[in-house]
Amino acid sequence: MRVAVLIGGVGGAKLASGLMQVVAPEQLTFIVNTGDDFRHLGLKICPDLDTVMYTLAGLADPEQGWGIAEDSTAALKSLEQNYGVEPWFRLGDKDLATHLLRAQLLRRGHSLTAVTDCLVQRLGITARLLPMCDDEIPTIIKTEQHGELGFQEYFVKHRWQPIVKSIEHKGCERAAMSPAVSAALETADVILIAPSNPWLSVAPILAVPGLRTALKVADAPVVAITPIIAGAAVKGPTAKIMAELGLDVSEAALARFYGDIIDGFVNDIRNQPLCADNLRTVQLNTLMMDTKAKDDLARNTLEWIAGWAL
Ligand code: FO1
């Protein structure tokens, strides 16, 4: 069964770990948000691509969810102590190696898709990892307190505390879906939307021109998994942003957000049952606190979909 997954960073990576246990990795394609990408210290940083990549390679820091486990910070300390550079974005030394190699490959003229393929192969990952797009579509957050902020300034520097007024996907009208993303959606048997932040991680992917249409015309069922459990996000600002954008913090509001691009919705067992026309729903444990819960969510989701779609 070929499974394509639209995915953000830390929350999505947990589902990715589960899927790796229940689907042959060669059958898995992760289409990853790159709206969080930015340039820092002259390097292109792709936090969500790296979070998923390190998770699949077994290198991820289990506490933070991002970065490499047991990494050191000698470069960051030297930048601060010797050059007075504020270390607001914590790049570990091993993580820096990824950025250096990526920068070199990009400078040679390779696309982000090709560069990601190269990094993934060298790490021995057999699943496919695709950036949502080869063009840059930075997510810009318009805030009440600071005006427009780049994504990482909002998320890391200001610890997602500013009140969000609106979210822009800068330059999306000039971007194009990559042939690899288009092929992955066309050939998938199942398309999942990971329990990543719908506004910060999934909306940038949906902003890639043609991608919404590709989901609507796909032969495969498209199923989203809720990131909201009992009126709150497991981690991060999903619920806070929903409230700031004037939405109910509910699974019904999430289903409305995805609208006609989804055929199914995996709701959590702790949530109210969801009734919506033309939408199949199921209630599963979506709280992925340990390895078993990750594997169970992946397996139960795919078994449920197989029962009505395959
Ligand atoms: N998140 C933080 O909260 N603080 C950091 O200093 C930080 C550094 C960092 C470095 C590399 C990387 O790949 C990710 C990093 N993240 C950090 C996580 C990250 O920026 C966010 O979790 C995502 O962009 C949101 O999905």
Side-chain angles (χ1 to χ4, degrees):
M1 185 199 293
R2 281 157 302 186
V3 182
V5 191
L6 310 192
I7 192 166
V10 177
K14 291 185 183 177
L15 179 74
S17 305
L19 286 167
M20 290 287 279
Q21 300 308 311
V22 301
V23 179
E26 300 73 29
Q27 305 276 64
L28 278 170
T29 302
F30 297 98
I31 299 171
V32 186
N33 169 40
T34 55
D36 298 15
D37 295 8
F38 76 131
R39 267 166 223 284
H40 188 57
L41 302 168
L43 299 167
K44 182 177 174 74
I45 317 289
C46 305
D48 285 1
L49 271 175
D50 290 346
T51 295
V52 179
M53 182 171 80
Y54 294 150
T55 300
L56 299 184
L59 294 174
D61 183 309
E63 301 303 318
Q64 298 173 150
W66 49 268
I68 294 183
E70 294 171 18
D71 207 349
S72 49
T73 52
L76 212 63
K77 282 188 190 125
S78 176
L79 280 166
E80 185 181 18
Q81 288 163 7
N82 298 326
Y83 300 104
V85 176
E86 189 202 341
W88 68 272
F89 194 76
R90 284 177 290 137
L91 287 175
D93 297 328
K94 292 178 189 167
D95 193 19
L96 263 174
T98 304
H99 307 310
L100 292 174
L101 184 55
R102 177 186 287 124
Q104 186 190 46
L105 294 169
L106 287 170
R107 257 198 312 275
R108 286 183 187 162
H110 300 292
S111 67
L112 186 59
T113 299
V115 171
T116 305
D117 251 347
C118 173
L119 299 178
V120 159
Q121 277 173 30
R122 291 195 193 184
L123 288 174
I125 298 166
T126 47
R128 192 97 201 268
L129 207 62
L130 298 175
M132 67 186 198
C133 189
D134 282 322
D135 302 302
E136 293 187 353
I137 310 182
T139 300
I140 306 293
I141 314 286
K142 201 173 258 179
T143 66
E144 206 162 283
Q145 296 89 333
H146 306 279
E148 283 188 4
L149 293 175
F151 182 86
Q152 298 299 339
E153 283 181 292
Y154 161 76
F155 197 92
V156 175
K157 201 179 225 175
H158 292 281
R159 297 169 188 277
W160 46 270
Q161 290 313 300
I163 295 171
V164 175
K165 288 169 71 182
S166 61
I167 300 168
E168 186 196 348
H169 309 293
K170 198 168 179 183
C172 65
E173 59 294 338
R174 291 187 298 278
M177 189 161 46
S178 68
V181 167
S182 174
L185 294 176
E186 252 173 59
T187 57
D189 298 306
V190 171
I191 300 172
L192 298 177
I193 301 181
S196 302
N197 185 313
W199 284 270
L200 299 183
S201 301
V202 184
I205 306 177
L206 299 178
V208 175
L211 206 137
R212 274 179 176 274
T213 309
L215 292 177
K216 282 190 207 167
V217 302
D219 289 335
V222 181
V223 173
I225 300 172
T226 184
I228 290 285
I229 300 178
V234 179
K235 199 177 173 200
T238 304
K240 178 176 175 286
I241 289 178
M242 288 177 85
E244 288 165 1
L245 295 177
L247 302 162
D248 293 342
V249 184
S250 69
E251 37 296 333
L254 290 174
R256 276 196 298 278
F257 172 77
Y258 287 126
D260 61 357
I261 63 170
I262 56 170
D263 306 295
F265 188 80
V266 176
N267 198 3
D268 189 80
I269 40 172
R270 300 156 193 86
N271 292 348
Q272 291 297 317
L274 182 65
C275 293
D277 290 342
N278 302 321
L279 186 66
R280 291 176 192 262
T281 64
V282 67
Q283 285 182 269
L284 298 175
N285 176 28
T286 66
L287 187 61
M288 294 178 279
M289 296 304 277
D290 55 26
T291 307
K292 183 177 180 311
K294 293 174 194 172
D295 299 357
D296 285 350
L297 178 60
R299 183 180 305 101
N300 292 336
T301 297
L302 293 176
E303 280 178 8
W304 171 65
I305 297 169
W308 53 268
L310 303 178

